Amino acid sequence: MNAPDNVSRRALLTGGLATGLLLAFHLPLRADPNEPVQKDVTDGKFAPNAFIRIDATGRTVLMMPQVEMGQGVYTSISMILAEELDADWDKVEVQHAPPNDKFYANPVFGLQATGGSTSIRAWWMPLRKAGATARAMLIQAAASQWGVDAASCTASKGEVAHAASGRKLGYGELALAAQSQTPPKDVAIKDPKNFVLIGQPLKRLDTPDKVNGKALYGIDAILPDMKIAVIANCPVFGGKVGKVDDSAATKIAGVRKVVVLDDAVAVIGDHMWAAKKGLDAVKIEWNEGPNAKISTKDIWQDLRAASEKDGAVAKSTGDIAKALASGDKFEAAYEMPFLAHASMEPVNATVRVTKDSCEIWTGTQIMTRVQSEAAKAAGVAVDKVIVNQHLLGGGFGRKLEPDMVVAAVRIAKQVDYPVKVIWTREEDIQHDVYRPVYRDQITASLVDGKVAAWKYKVAGSAVIARWLPPAFQKGIDIDAIDAAVDAPYDFANFHVEYVRVEPPAVPTGFWRGVGPNNNVFAIECAMDELARKAGKDPVEFRRSMLTKNPRALAVLNLVAEKSGWGQPLPPRVGRGVCLQPSFASFLATVVEAEIDDSGEIALRRVTSVVDTGIAVNPDTVKAQIEGGLVFGLTAALYGEITIDNGRVQQSNFHDYRMMRINETPKIEVTVVKSGESPGGIGEAGVNAGPPALRNAIYAATGVVLRRLPIDRKLLAVGKKA
Amino acid sequence: MIMVARNLADPIIVSDPANQGMHMATTLTINGETKSFDAPPDMPLLWVLRDILGMTGTKFGCGIAQCGACTVHVDGKAVRSCVLPVSAVANRAVTTIEHVGSTPSGAKVQKAWLDAEVIQCGYCQSGQIMSAAALLAATPNPDDADIDAAMAGNICRCGTYVRIREAIKLAATGRQS
């Protein structure tokens, strides 16, 4: 079901773009010494490609084309490179790659972006080849020094050895000689059975500095003469600044300057407290503009109406019209709210602008776009913009957008010192780029206890059309239908449509779990309702339609066993299952939940089994599923952004709630052994939580929930949905 | 090793103390050292640490004591520094993440956090570690209810709660739960 190496998402193939995007990428075998971003780091070192630097002491620096936002990718990418390089793992250091699409573009997107659970899938083969190429050149260097055949030499832990003569040379000693070797044309990569690092639960490289306050996130940047700014964006989407009275603000000690932009006001101070107090003291009249009356109530009304229209057909097999005309018919619509990202590190950027340059300190998921957008805002050439990448205190898709950097550039342009622009949590939540509202309709028919026809229509915003325009073709958002077209079951008559519906003025973007969030929820809720209609157990019902999908069947069977599926439970306690093939990984999850008489929900236990192909670092895979489940369950229990009078109504963690440790159940994740190419893992767990919990509630109470977040009022004893 | 960490020996650059009209001289004991500086008395300790003293290990998350990212110890107790006016801690002992490893419970927690590989993005973990260290100093063998009570004020958006619970037990007992 996947393209070679799982690089191209099925959806990209559907869009007819994968080939072009993939061809746009090539692995640079040797860094061009004239390339400015490369020169200073390659001098006097073995630099066989854009990813590996070995100096004469054997110090091995690996350049990270993907950003670290908690998903463990600095470690996993290093493991892939070090495996094929046969580096000494204890000597490996990582450094963030500079913005450069030529060297570091993510092969899936054609730009240097981290998202969509693509890092390992996209870089698996390119990085293995990069590591193997370097190893081959080091071996050649040693062989020629010893006057022996390279084939008689081996490499291990940062050394080349010639067994016949007992000679050994470290990579540091070989670095200069290796630099002048010709890279092999078709380099051999390892047979996975010979992996020594890949597949091991190695300790993460980034965590030791995260227990003692040393790790630097974007918000921790400190520069000489730097000041701090706090921003107030117009509270109404698309509104502008009207009148500003800053007379009280400028009297506050520590306030340096009030900056008035066309759509925002910022106060710069000696420290955050002065800036914040200053901003509180500025009297701003906003020109609210045409969106002053928009509300989620109206947005939902429009979405419901628009979703009734026929959509663009993303996939169709069999004869859907004929198949739907017979059998036992089922129809349902599932609705998902706007969501904010709320990464723990609030949105921020530090910028210094001069007449002809711009320097940025931030943690971003999209380095080259930050660079090009900052250049436009600063009015300088792209190559005059330096981006200093930092660790991200969570990304979740929010930092796939450059808006916070652009805002900081516009503020920093007004002063002659560097400014760190920090968004308060309130600004962060009220001026996010939101996970769109979706309405997913499923029409199906049952014949002999199985699904004979499945028609699935997704309606919602096309994030792809804005974020990666070339990938938006034939009216289909390939992300919004990603898991819809990949439903794992044997549906002979299968039809998927997409209706693009853009909410007025509300910016929409990627949110951890991306398109499959809406798809997996709708599919897995519908499957439970269909199972009940067919009079079958939900696991048994799914099993009967997995004859062509052995990997999906295997994780489902194992999760049933590990979760105690089918064993008796007390009243108002239920188990719910979710099965999904998404991001080229297979995940089966069972949530066990108890619903008290008032409708309050207690999570008792979560069990997941994942087949992600070769797990580069199985402990990281486990951690990503654990965390993803909490992220998704948080959304199911609490997540909803609402809008009234053009304004977001939530503002901080008291009204945009997160799950806490006291609400977190035991979570057991099993990573199955597999020899398949690695799948994506950062988002899969997010998709699993909401449908599995909803199905547990369905089992416990019989209440049919078709809308997120879960409405407790419908679950109180005596209520019917 | 990651090249995106601050060497704690690096000189800290702070904004120059101009515009001192409303400020007052304050002396705090932070991590065992006496620090004198000028700050408005209502300025939360968080911003004194981060923006005046250049100690960025303590994090800003919400500003309203809802998330715990800013947790520090004052006289050994976990407090939210984002809502704690600096005037309230004059002459009291403040300990931050940069120094908690020198306390017995802090060192145990840091080690357990790495052994259990708790951390993902890490942004909330300064606060998590400070809360856990204060818990263990007061309650050396916490049960699940003790852990819930001490840690429920610390949000982790990456969802590392399962491992936080495991690591606290590991720190308390020296073995996996």
Side-chain angles (χ1 to χ4, degrees), chain A residues 230-231 233 272 276 346 423-432 434 648 650-655, chain B residues 60-64 66:
Chain A
V230 180
I231 189 168
N233 296 284
M272 178 83 172
K276 197 168 178 297
W423 295 32
T424 60
R425 177 59 64 192
E426 289 77 8
E427 287 294 309
D428 179 276
I429 293 207
Q430 298 190 324
H431 299 280
D432 200 341
Y434 300 92
V648 167
Q650 292 70 32
S651 64
N652 206 321
F653 293 126
H654 64 290
D655 56 8
Chain B
F60 166 55
C62 69
I64 58 167
Q66 283 282 315

Side-chain angles (χ1 to χ4, degrees), chain A residues 204 211 217 220 272 659, chain B residues 51 59 66 110 117 121 161:
Chain A
R204 286 173 60 143
V211 298
Y217 302 84
D220 300 328
M272 178 83 172
M659 259 176 80
Chain B
D51 291 350
K59 301 304 187 201
Q66 283 282 315
Q110 286 176 328
E117 201 73 282
C121 91
Y161 301 124

Side-chain angles (χ1 to χ4, degrees), chain A residues 639-696:
Chain A
E640 183 167 27
I641 289 292
T642 57
I643 296 157
D644 196 28
N645 288 324
R647 293 162 163 80
V648 167
Q649 294 179 289
Q650 292 70 32
S651 64
N652 206 321
F653 293 126
H654 64 290
D655 56 8
Y656 190 68
R657 279 197 59 185
M658 301 294 138
M659 259 176 80
R660 294 173 182 269
I661 195 170
N662 57 311
E663 300 166 297
T664 303
K666 190 172 170 188
I667 299 176
E668 302 153 79
V669 178
T670 303
V671 182
V672 301
K673 286 244 185 266
S674 167
E676 302 281 338
S677 292
I681 210 64
E683 336 230 5
V686 180
N687 307 149
L693 172 58
R694 178 272 187 190
N695 289 341

Side-chain angles (χ1 to χ4, degrees), chain B residues 12 25 41 45 55 57 65 74-75 88 90 102-103 112 118 121-122 132-133 142-143 155 170 173-174:
Chain B
I12 295 299
L45 177 61
M55 299 169 69
V74 174
D75 294 337
S102 68
T103 68
V118 168
C121 91
D143 60 18
I155 293 172
L170 181 62
T173 62

Side-chain angles (χ1 to χ4, degrees), chain B residues 101-112:
Chain B
S102 68
T103 68
S105 67
K108 272 196 268 183
V109 167
Q110 286 176 328
K111 181 176 184 305

